[in-house]
Amino acid sequence: MTTTEVTTLPANGDVSTWTPAEKAIADAAGLVFTHTYGDRQGQREPAPRAVVEKFLALSRQSGLNPLSNQIWCIGRLSKGRVEWAVQTGIDGFRLVADRSEKYAGQDEAEWMTDKGEWVDAFIPKLHGGQPLAARVRVYRSDWDRPAVGVAEWGAYVQTKRDGAPTEMWAKQGAGQLAKCAEALALRKAFPMDLSGLYTSDEIAAAPEQHVEVAGPSRDWSAEIAAAATHEEVEDLLDAADDAGERTEAVRTAAMTRHGMLGEPTQPDEIVVEPEPAAEAPAPDVAPASPADLSDADWLAQAEADVLRNGGQP
């Protein structure tokens, strides 16, 4: 298959490395979901990296260009969370087949009436409200037999909440069903290039495209709740930011913990204890008068005086 490299797409799903032009392309390709009601009305939620990587891989695999509306990503709000799916149009499928250089055309669509007959033109007034099924045969130059796609009405019709067909399916149900059958046949004929891709017409019957999104590397909220100081809380916030995991829940946990810790404390004041006052020297005591001494004490004092005077009396 000869493909044209989509050079306008980002090289990978790391948003931090994208140029402003690449971010605009991702936005145009549907990789940013805008909430339209509720508490989050107006908020923009980018697709997680796993979804972006899948979209980029399928775009390159198929050679389809999101700027030409050949492939895009759709985010749908379901039970409070955004579910993502990669879609294309039937023209994108036809383009992939044509580029393969092995596409040998297809037969016109056929529809089954409520009488079990296949007709090449379904007329509601003639054949009933809607066809039971549609069928398309796609040929490859290197295959002896065609790839046949059969789409049954109940499996593909898109309905509103009350179960009635959507406006497009109510007005052009036969044509919508035929495009589903054609997409099935083309996917059978060119599985290498179209595997994992579904047209917007058949998306209701496509397998759920859940993308496993890796959880955070650490339980930031729990660690923040256990922090003992404001500085620890801020350090954890910085670490979560560096890991690309500073979510709204993490920020809320940090604000809550700051409130629980109260006002940041100032460094302890250094108190200098005064040095104890030096003891005053004992006052000199005048020697006792000789008259107050006994004979023995007088003699001892006299001998001490002689010794202090170098032996001289």
Side-chain angles (χ1 to χ4, degrees):
M1 172 181 173
T2 301
T3 61
T4 301
E5 180 68 18
V6 183
T7 56
T8 54
L9 288 173
N12 55 59
D14 185 359
V15 179
S16 64
T17 65
W18 290 3
T19 65
E22 289 173 332
K23 291 180 180 179
I25 291 171
D27 196 345
L31 291 168
V32 179
F33 178 82
T34 301
H35 291 266
T36 57
Y37 60 89
D39 295 339
R40 302 186 64 185
Q41 183 175 358
Q43 292 186 13
R44 290 162 56 79
E45 181 176 339
R49 180 164 182 173
V51 173
V52 177
E53 295 285 6
K54 178 178 180 179
F55 177 79
L56 296 176
L58 288 174
S59 297
R60 293 191 173 92
Q61 167 191 310
S62 61
L64 298 177
N65 191 338
L67 296 184
S68 299
N69 290 328
Q70 296 170 351
I71 188 171
W72 59 89
C73 197
I74 291 291
R76 292 183 175 87
L77 196 62
S78 175
K79 297 180 180 179
R81 58 174 294 181
V82 180
E83 299 286 349
W84 300 88
V86 180
Q87 297 181 15
T88 184
I90 192 63
D91 288 338
F93 272 42
R94 293 165 181 165
L95 179 59
V96 170
D98 187 61
R99 287 175 177 170
S100 72
E101 300 181 354
K102 295 181 180 180
Y103 178 58
Q106 60 182 269
D107 290 337
E108 295 295 331
E110 299 175 289
W111 293 268
M112 179 181 285
T113 68
D114 56 7
K115 295 181 179 179
E117 302 172 340
W118 288 101
V119 296
D120 55 11
F122 186 85
I123 311 299
K125 290 184 178 181
L126 179 62
H127 299 114
Q130 69 272 335
L132 298 182
R135 179 172 65 187
V136 172
R137 294 181 176 88
V138 169
Y139 297 88
R140 284 179 55 134
S141 59
D142 57 342
W143 286 10
D144 294 332
R145 299 174 62 83
V148 182
V150 178
E152 189 266 325
W153 176 270
Y156 288 88
V157 61
Q158 297 181 19
T159 59
K160 297 181 288 188
R161 292 181 181 272
D162 60 3
T166 60
E167 183 178 0
M168 181 66 72
W169 278 79
K171 291 181 177 180
Q172 304 178 26
Q176 295 295 102
L177 194 61
K179 287 191 286 185
C180 294
E182 182 181 355
L184 283 171
L186 287 168
R187 195 181 299 110
K188 282 184 179 181
F190 304 98
M192 182 65 70
D193 305 306
L194 295 174
S195 178
L197 285 175
Y198 296 88
T199 66
S200 54
D201 304 298
E202 60 177 336
I203 197 64
E208 292 187 359
Q209 301 184 49
H210 292 298
V211 179
E212 293 295 331
V213 180
S217 57
R218 293 162 61 178
D219 190 344
W220 299 108
S221 297
E223 291 189 44
I224 288 173
T229 66
H230 292 278
E231 289 76 13
E232 287 183 26
V233 173
E234 290 303 312
D235 288 344
L236 286 167
L237 270 180
D238 291 341
D241 197 26
D242 293 340
E245 298 170 356
R246 187 169 174 168
T247 63
E248 189 65 33
V250 173
R251 286 190 289 270
T252 300
M255 293 175 63
T256 301
R257 189 56 182 159
H258 275 310
M260 294 173 66
L261 291 172
E263 293 296 326
T265 56
Q266 299 298 324
D268 293 337
E269 182 180 357
I270 299 175
V271 179
V272 180
E273 295 290 341
E275 294 183 1
E279 293 184 3
D284 293 337
V285 179
S289 171
D292 298 330
L293 300 175
S294 64
D295 292 341
D297 291 337
W298 180 88
L299 180 59
Q301 180 174 318
E303 291 176 348
D305 291 340
V306 171
L307 291 174
R308 281 196 301 271
N309 294 324
Q312 298 297 324

